[in-house]
C-alpha cells in the first residue's frame, strides 16, 4: 500500500444513477482548480483489469455466479491498485474512480442473493487484495431502481449487469444504503433523482467541506 499523499474518491450507485456524468463534471472542476487528478473505473483502470472487464460484463446474465464474479473483480482490483491507484496517490495525485469495492459488496454480496458468499467472505477477500486501504470519500448516488433502469435503457448496449431483473436492482439499492449506514464517515448519500447540475453542486459542497477546495 502507498505512502499516500493524494486523495482517493469513489462514486457508487445502481444502474443509471448518473455516475459517469458526475465524474465528467468533477473532472472539469478539478482541472479548473488546478488539482492533479486521475479518472479511472472498476472493473478496469489498468491494462490487465480492462481485459478482465470484458470477460465480466459480456455474455449472458447467468454466465457467472457470485463466487466467480468476486474472484474476477478481485483480480482486476489488485492490478488496478498496484498499477494505477497506489502509484498516483503516492505522487500526490487525486484518484477518482467510477465504482470500487462497495460495488463488489453490493452486486455480488447482496444483489445476487444466491447465498454463496457472506459479507465476511467478501471483506476477507478484500483484505487479501488491498489490506486496510479504503477510499477517503465515497459518494453513493441514490435513485429509485426503476428510474435508474429507465435511464440506463436509453443507452444503446446494456451489459449483463444492467440486464438483471428489477428485484436484483432493488437489492442493490438497499445494499448501498446499508453500506453507507455502516460507514457514515466515509460514505455520503447523494440524491441522484435531480438535475445533473444539482447533483454536482451537492458533491462539490461535500468536497469543499472535507478537503477545503475552492
Amino acid at each position: 500500500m502507498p505512502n499516500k499523499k493524494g486523495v482517493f474518491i469513489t462514486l457508487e450507485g445502481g444502474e443509471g444513477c448518473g455516475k459517469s456524468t458526475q465524474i465528467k463534471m468533477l473532472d472539469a472542476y478539478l482541472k479548473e482548480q488546478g488539482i492533479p487528478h486521475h479518472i479511472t473505473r472498476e472493473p478496469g483502470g489498468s491494462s490487465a483489469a480492462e481485459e478482465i472487464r470484458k470477460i465480466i460484463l459480456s455474455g449472458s446474465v447467468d454466465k457467472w455466479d457470485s463466487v466467480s464474479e468476486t474472484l474476477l473483480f478481485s483480480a482486476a482490483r489488485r492490478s488496478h491498485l498496484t498499477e494505477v491507484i497506489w502509484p498516483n496517490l503516492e505522487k500526490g495525485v487525486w484518484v477518482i474512480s467510477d465504482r470500487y469495492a462497495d460495488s463488489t459488496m453490493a452486486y455480488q454480496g447482496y444483489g445476487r442473493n444466491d447465498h454463496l458468499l457472506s459479507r465476511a467472505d467478501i471483506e476477507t477477500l478484500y483484505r487479501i487484495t488491498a489490506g486496510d486501504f479504503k477510499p477517503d470519500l465515497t459518494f453513493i448516488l441514490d435513485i429509485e431502481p426503476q428510474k435508474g433502469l429507465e435511464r440506463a435503457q436509453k443507452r444503446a448496449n446494456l451489459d449483463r449487469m444492467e440486464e438483471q431483473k428489477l428485484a436484483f436492482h432493488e437489492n442493490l439499492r438497499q445494499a448501498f444504503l446499508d453500506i453507507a449506514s455502516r460507514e457514515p464517515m466515509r460514505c455520503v448519500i447523494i440524491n441522484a433523482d435531480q438535475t445533473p447540475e444539482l447533483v454536482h453542486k451537492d458533491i462539490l459542497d461535500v468536497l469543499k467541506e472535507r478537503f477545503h477546495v475552492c
Side-chain angles (χ1 to χ4, degrees), residues 146-174:
Q146 185 62 53
K147 290 183 179 180
L149 285 175
E150 289 170 0
R151 287 183 181 179
Q153 287 165 358
K154 293 178 181 178
R155 299 196 288 265
N157 298 310
L158 299 181
D159 62 42
R160 55 186 291 272
M161 296 298 180
E162 293 168 330
E163 290 178 342
Q164 295 281 354
K165 294 180 180 179
L166 180 60
F168 174 88
H169 295 281
E170 290 172 340
N171 287 341
L172 280 184
R173 187 190 189 194
Q174 293 308 310

Side-chain angles (χ1 to χ4, degrees), residues 88-102:
N88 274 289
L89 292 176
E90 286 178 338
K91 293 185 291 187
V93 175
W94 288 32
V95 177
I96 314 297
S97 185
D98 183 343
R99 298 199 183 283
Y100 184 62
D102 292 320

